[in-house]
Amino acid sequence: MAKVWVAAELNQGKVQSISFELLAKARELGDVEAIALGKGAEAAAAELGKHGAKKVYVSEDAAFDDYIGVPAAGTIEALVKQGAPDLILFGFTYDSREVAGRLAARLGVGQVSNAMDVSAEGGGFAASVPYFGGAKVATLKVLNKPAIVLVRPKSFEASEAGGTATIEKIEPQKGDLSRAAKIVDRVVEAGEKVKLEEATIIVSGGRGMQGPENFPLLEQLADALGAAVGASRAVVDAGWVPYAMQVGQTGKSVRPTVYIAAGISGAMQHTVGMKGSKFIVAINKDAEAPILKMADLGVVGDALKIVPKLTDAVKAKKGK
Amino acid sequence: MKIVVTVKQIPDPNAPQKLTSDNRLDRGGEAVLDPGDEYGVEAGLKLKEAHGGEVVLVSMGPAKAADAIRKGLSMGADRAIHVSDDSLAGADALLTAQILAAAIKPENPDLVICGTESTDGSTGMVPPMLAELLGMPQATFAKQVEVKGDKVSVHRQTNEGYEVVEAQAPALVTVTAGVGEPRYASLKGIMAARSKEVKKVELSALGIEKGSPAESVEGVADAETRKAGEVIEDDGNAAERILAFLVQVKAV
């Protein structure tokens, strides 16, 4: 059996869902162990065990929460040299990218990044990655050992396997922390009532909303539906809404039951992050907008007029 | 303050894109400076305006990447280093980072600025690898960059908002669109760029041993596309139609 490691991601003590998604895939690929570093790692190990990790390497050292990349890369490097895994899975997330990049450079092995799937192939592993922003999919054979693959969130569905993990406490190899970037403050910006990553319905806005002053229309619809509010890169770059709301290649990948795109044209950059949605509803003035060609229900019309009416209709239906 | 900004020429994302016979991105067509790197150049120029010093562009790419470098120089960067070698076509992220690190090291910069990821490859791995190889802290995904004495302070974008991150220079920073709209090259800037120094560096001068590549391309296929559903014109009742759809899929 191949030895597959999952680099779990903790955010201030909470296991991030990407870790469970990776474990679900890892179970198909071999014997699974996980690495949990930082505050809450021991509690995390129990959850990781339920999702299929047989053993979890754990350190609760505060440096993992406070410093970017350096302490985790050094610690995992030491583990790799002892444990010789065949494959290490990371999330293609901001925090894991920092660690995986440093680790690959230390080990001198390269990696495959931005993957959408991983499979066993010819005694090794293959990964599929988007080309041209998602228009094509390339299958890459991963040639190094360990194979390091970073997978986009929401590529796999998390599922519990019902096991328990043994915990192995490890010595952190933190390295020279004076040569690491330190997180000195955390600011919560998006007053998200419903998290984009966890929402079953998402209402997302683009340039067609015509200005930040119209985003409250989307918030009102989202409130009525119990949905989260997202945005296209164009309006985030323009400073209308914070980055935390961005859906797409350089933002979040989402997979809700329903995705309502209001005034979003559907550039590849955006659709790669939401085309896994079960149902897509699109409202766009431009009948030629690419988003209308992938929507289950497309409406050629003005989002500014339709969204408030829809909010009222939903409220009336729900009897609010 | 000496600031290095890494820049890359990519196939024009707005032009039709093609693959070569060995399934690599065809770089033969129209090419532009990566829009993500324009933010890097902008961030570098702003810091130079505030603190003095110079902005040096470093690029790896074929001979024609000189055009993208010239664009950065016409925006206001002072000079450039261009590592060009035919054998580097298809270089993976690690080799790219090793080459950039070898080209940057002799410059002893206070700050290295990168985009968060290239628009064509989108691996996002070169910056952290480069930081590791240069022995620098990485203050990444910055929507704001400030330098105070020998400290760099950035606002790092997160899923919830941002983190305030501090690093001791020399440090590596990656920047997002949050740092501000890249300036246009003025006519004066374009004229001035013609006489700015672009130092060509051969691969052999960097003393890099090429390792084995991280991956081989087995095949490329069209991505699954979603089928278009029903498209209607808003005749004043679109909201009702959408609600009916939401009820039908049990979202309401």
Side-chain angles (χ1 to χ4, degrees), chain A residues 11 16 68-70 73 92 94-95 97-98 100-102 104-106 108-114 121 131-132 134-144 150 178-190 192 195 197 201 225 233 237 243-244 249-250 252 257-258 260 274-281 283 287 292-302 305-306 309-310 313-314 317-318, chain B residues 17-19 23-26 35-36 39 92-94 98 116-117 119-125 128-141 143 156-171 176-178 181 212-243 245-247 249 251-252:
Chain A
N11 187 347
Q16 302 297 289
I68 294 175
V70 174
F92 186 65
Y94 278 7
D95 286 343
R97 279 160 66 168
E98 316 271 25
R102 281 196 181 258
R106 279 171 182 246
V109 295
Q111 43 57 52
V112 171
S113 181
N114 200 18
E121 195 195 273
Y131 266 21
F132 303 157
K136 289 183 182 291
V137 179
T139 305
L140 308 180
K141 190 160 186 210
V142 194
L143 302 173
N144 292 121
L150 293 88
S178 73
R179 302 306 302 143
K182 187 173 190 199
I183 299 167
V184 295
D185 195 12
R186 291 181 167 90
V187 180
V188 176
E189 226 176 11
E192 290 177 78
K195 287 187 118 189
E197 300 92 322
I201 308 177
L225 288 168
R233 178 174 176 170
D237 282 1
Y243 167 80
Q249 167 66 30
T250 50
K252 292 175 183 174
T257 308
V258 179
I260 303 175
M274 50 64 84
K275 67 181 178 184
S277 306
K278 195 160 179 203
F279 300 105
I280 296 173
V281 176
I283 306 167
L292 295 173
K293 296 185 173 65
M294 63 187 296
D296 298 281
L297 176 62
V299 177
V300 182
D302 184 354
K305 288 188 186 140
I306 296 168
K309 281 192 203 170
L310 180 57
V314 171
K317 178 83 188 168
K318 286 190 165 179
Chain B
Q17 308 204 344
K18 286 183 305 202
L19 291 171
N23 281 328
R24 294 280 173 186
L25 197 51
D26 183 358
Y39 292 108
D92 65 13
L94 182 58
Q98 287 167 335
T116 56
E117 62 204 41
T119 303
D120 56 349
S122 298
T123 71
M125 284 292 105
M129 288 174 165
L130 192 52
E132 176 65 34
L133 296 169
L134 291 170
M136 290 184 183
Q138 70 211 82
T140 42
F141 307 106
K143 58 175 185 166
R156 177 181 188 255
Q157 292 179 348
T158 63
N159 282 337
E160 288 82 31
Y162 65 92
E163 294 165 345
V164 182
V165 171
E166 286 182 359
Q168 198 77 34
T176 70
E181 205 51 40
S212 58
E215 83 253 358
S216 63
V217 183
E218 300 288 286
V220 179
D222 287 331
E224 272 179 48
T225 50
R226 294 180 69 106
K227 283 202 198 95
E230 188 186 6
V231 178
I232 59 169
E233 292 267 349
D234 180 22
D235 55 2
N237 295 320
E240 290 300 329
R241 291 291 300 276
I242 295 173
L243 177 63
F245 180 82
L246 294 177
V247 170
V249 302
V252 173

Side-chain angles (χ1 to χ4, degrees), chain A residues 45-241:
Chain A
E47 287 187 74
L48 298 169
K50 277 186 211 157
H51 285 81
K54 290 183 183 153
K55 188 194 288 185
V56 182
Y57 301 95
V58 162
S59 168
E60 297 230 354
D61 197 291
F64 297 116
D65 295 291
D66 295 344
Y67 291 91
I68 294 175
V70 174
T75 302
I76 298 177
E77 182 194 18
L79 284 175
V80 168
K81 287 186 168 158
Q82 277 182 0
D86 298 296
L87 170 68
I88 311 174
L89 296 176
F90 286 88
F92 186 65
T93 61
Y94 278 7
D95 286 343
S96 290
R97 279 160 66 168
E98 316 271 25
V99 180
R102 281 196 181 258
L103 176 67
R106 279 171 182 246
L107 296 170
V109 295
Q111 43 57 52
V112 171
S113 181
N114 200 18
M116 302 182 299
D117 199 4
V118 189
S119 56
E121 195 195 273
F125 301 96
S128 53
V129 300
Y131 266 21
F132 303 157
K136 289 183 182 291
V137 179
T139 305
L140 308 180
K141 190 160 186 210
V142 194
L143 302 173
N144 292 121
K145 188 185 163 171
I148 298 177
V149 180
L150 293 88
V151 183
R152 295 185 65 84
K154 303 285 173 188
S155 295
F156 313 124
E157 200 161 325
S159 65
E160 288 195 15
T164 43
T166 57
I167 293 178
E168 182 172 327
K169 289 190 188 177
I170 53 166
E171 268 310 302
Q173 306 292 326
K174 292 183 272 189
D176 179 1
L177 294 180
S178 73
R179 302 306 302 143
K182 187 173 190 199
I183 299 167
V184 295
D185 195 12
R186 291 181 167 90
V187 180
V188 176
E189 226 176 11
E192 290 177 78
K193 293 164 206 158
V194 185
K195 287 187 118 189
L196 266 177
E197 300 92 322
E198 293 160 12
T200 53
I201 308 177
I202 292 173
V203 179
S204 222
R207 283 257 184 221
M209 293 306 292
Q210 294 181 23
E213 67 279 5
N214 293 323
F215 259 71
L217 297 176
L218 300 178
E219 284 156 24
Q220 288 153 17
L221 175 58
D223 282 347
L225 288 168
V229 181
S232 71
R233 178 174 176 170
V235 305
V236 173
D237 282 1
W240 294 6
V241 295

